[in-house]
């Protein structure tokens, strides 16, 4: 994601809740393997490979599971992990980062046509919020 796109996602509005969408039908599953960890994602959705250090290498990968859960993995993670905050989405959009301090992953929810983000800073992931509020 470019810095110009990052600016569009910079403003946030706290929802204080879970990112959800209507419909619970499970989609078809595709397999992904990264750092020898095998996971599954919703076929046809974006896989986001984040380069948090801007050095040209992938540091973390994000996917939408067939049940709409948001998962991620990184080197030495021990396996794929569900993103904190109980978010649900229909597709991955991208990621942003500022000065190597705050990094955010952005998802899209079809039912309300809204982008949400969850940001990592102070050593942890936080709540899902509206991106670019």
């Amino acid at each position: 994601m470019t810095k110009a796109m990052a600016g569009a996602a910079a403003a946030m509005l706290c929802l204080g809740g879970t990112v959800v969408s209507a419909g619970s039908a499970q989609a078809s599953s595709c397999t992904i393997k990264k750092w020898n960890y095998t996971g599954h994602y919703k076929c046809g959705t974006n896989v986001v490979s984040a380069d948090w250090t801007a050095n040209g290498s992938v540091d973390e990968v994000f996917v939408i599971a067939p049940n709409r859960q948001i998962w991620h993995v990184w080197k030495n993670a021990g396996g794929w992990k569900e993103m904190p905050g109980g978010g649900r989405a229909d597709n991955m959009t991208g990621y942003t980062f500022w000065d190597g301090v705050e990094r955010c992953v952005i998802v899209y929810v079809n039912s309300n046509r809204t982008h949400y983000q969850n940001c990592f800073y102070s050593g942890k992931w936080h709540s899902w919020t509206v991106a670019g509020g």
Side-chain angles (χ1 to χ4, degrees), residues 41-105:
Y41 69 102
K42 183 178 165 185
C43 294
T45 59
N46 298 324
V47 173
V48 170
S49 298
D51 177 6
W52 300 125
T53 57
N55 67 359
S57 66
V58 175
D59 299 307
E60 193 166 3
V61 175
F62 298 86
V63 299
I64 302 297
N67 64 0
R68 301 183 62 248
Q69 292 176 328
I70 306 156
W71 288 74
H72 63 139
V73 70
W74 58 97
K75 188 176 183 179
N76 300 321
W80 286 86
K81 313 283 185 195
E82 184 178 357
M83 283 288 293
R88 301 291 180 267
D90 298 300
N91 209 348
M92 297 299 309
T93 301
Y95 69 98
T96 62
F97 63 99
W98 292 272
D99 301 324
V101 176
E102 182 174 324
R103 54 190 188 210
C104 303
V105 62

Side-chain angles (χ1 to χ4, degrees), residues 100-117:
V101 176
E102 182 174 324
R103 54 190 188 210
C104 303
V105 62
I106 304 166
V107 300
Y108 183 75
V109 176
N110 290 337
S111 67
N112 59 3
R113 300 180 184 154
T114 304
H115 289 88
Y116 293 90
Q117 66 186 18

